[in-house]
């Protein structure tokens, strides 16, 4: 999940629409509309780590044996073992010395891999636990049902949720802007954390949702939302 920063633009009030407005909103009963459409899609959990506690040892050993040097010394150790322990041929060198060296080298590589993967787990946890603001509509059919915002973690967001993103906050790449506080629904997004480019990119919300969700500018506003 990549994204960028959305700098503040000219502030404009973006109201939370009613349950009969434009867009799909998460209902407290657990659905978008009458059911939860996002349940049919993968979750929003980010996983960049390679291992778990259960699969680390077999997966890491399997990966290391794909290296030609490790496979070669394992084969040599096996041949030396046959020479030491069977009557097929006479082994002159103890297999334990070569095999022990291989085990030490692979163990060292495994420790490095485990430390790197622990950093990935921590980065994933930090990303997944970031706070988001989701628009929620009460589970009622009354047109006057007032939407409100609830704080959720990014990992709990599903397809079809409507979120409020303020200026200078991260705007993930898999979100679609429905309305922006800039003129005519424009906002400026920095993608420096993705491609290193510092120039701002102009993004625009769809005209229909922009007109349906935005009101006139408020004189005392001091932040942008989209």
């Amino acid at each position: 999940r990549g994204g960028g920063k959305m700098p503040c633009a000219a502030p404009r009030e973006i109201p939370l629409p009613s349950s009969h407005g434009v867009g799909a909103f998460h209902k407290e009963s657990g659905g978008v509309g009458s059911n939860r459409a996002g349940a049919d899609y993968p979750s929003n959990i980010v996983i960049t780590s390679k291992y778990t506690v259960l699969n680390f040892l077999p997966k890491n050993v399997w990966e290391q044996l794909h290296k030609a040097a490790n496979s070669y010394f394992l084969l040599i150790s096996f041949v030396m073992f046959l020479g030491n322990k069977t009557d097929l041929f006479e082994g002159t060198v103890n297999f334990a010395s070569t095999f022990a060296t291989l085990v030490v080298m692979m163990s060292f590589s495994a420790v490095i891999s485990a430390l790197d993967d622990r950093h990935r787990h921590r980065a994933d946890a930090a990303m997944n636990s970031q706070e988001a603001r989701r628009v929620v509509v009460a589970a009622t059919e009354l047109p006057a049902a007032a939407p409100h915002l609830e704080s959720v973690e990014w990992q709990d967001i599903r397809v079809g949720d409507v979120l409020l993103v303020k200026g200078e906050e991260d705007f993930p790449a898999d979100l679609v802007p429905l309305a922006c506080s800039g003129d005519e629904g424009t906002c400026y997004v920095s993608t420096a954390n993705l491609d290193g480019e510092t120039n701002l990119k102009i993004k625009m919300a769809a005209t229909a949702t922009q007109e349906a969700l935005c009101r006139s500018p408020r004189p005392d506003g001091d932040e942008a939302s989209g």
Side-chain angles (χ1 to χ4, degrees), residues 42-215:
S43 68
N44 201 47
I45 297 177
V46 173
I47 300 177
T48 61
S49 58
K50 297 173 59 178
Y51 310 106
T52 65
V53 176
L54 297 179
N55 71 9
F56 173 77
L57 184 59
K59 189 173 183 179
N60 184 262
V61 170
W62 177 252
E63 289 177 348
Q64 292 201 55
L65 289 179
H66 280 72
K67 298 179 180 179
N70 291 339
S71 299
Y72 170 77
F73 283 107
L74 180 62
L75 178 61
I76 293 299
S77 298
F78 178 71
V79 172
M80 295 170 63
F81 172 81
L82 294 179
N84 293 155
K85 302 299 182 179
T86 68
D87 297 329
L88 294 177
F89 59 90
E90 182 178 355
T92 59
V93 181
N94 192 340
F95 81 97
S97 59
T98 303
F99 184 71
T101 302
L102 176 63
V103 170
V104 170
M105 296 303 297
M106 291 182 63
S107 298
F108 181 78
S109 298
V111 170
I112 298 299
S113 297
L115 293 177
D116 289 342
D117 207 58
R118 184 176 68 171
H119 293 315
R120 295 190 192 97
H121 277 284
R122 290 178 175 177
D124 291 345
M127 175 68 69
N128 293 326
S129 61
Q130 287 190 89
E131 182 182 4
R133 292 174 295 275
R134 178 166 60 193
V135 179
V136 180
V137 178
T140 176
E141 300 301 327
L142 297 177
H148 62 276
L149 294 176
E150 70 171 357
S151 295
V152 296
E153 295 183 344
W154 277 110
Q155 63 184 357
D156 297 324
I157 294 173
R158 295 293 183 268
V159 174
D161 288 344
V162 175
L163 308 178
L164 176 67
V165 181
K166 297 185 178 181
E168 304 298 336
E169 292 183 346
D170 288 336
F171 194 93
D174 52 1
L175 290 186
V176 176
L178 298 179
C180 302
S181 59
D183 295 335
E184 299 181 354
T186 60
C187 62
Y188 297 88
V189 179
S190 170
T191 59
N193 60 339
L194 292 178
D195 51 23
E197 296 186 8
T198 56
N199 57 308
L200 301 180
K201 279 81 171 178
I202 299 179
K203 305 295 180 181
M204 295 188 63
T207 302
T209 55
Q210 177 71 21
E211 293 178 351
L213 297 177
C214 288
R215 293 175 181 171

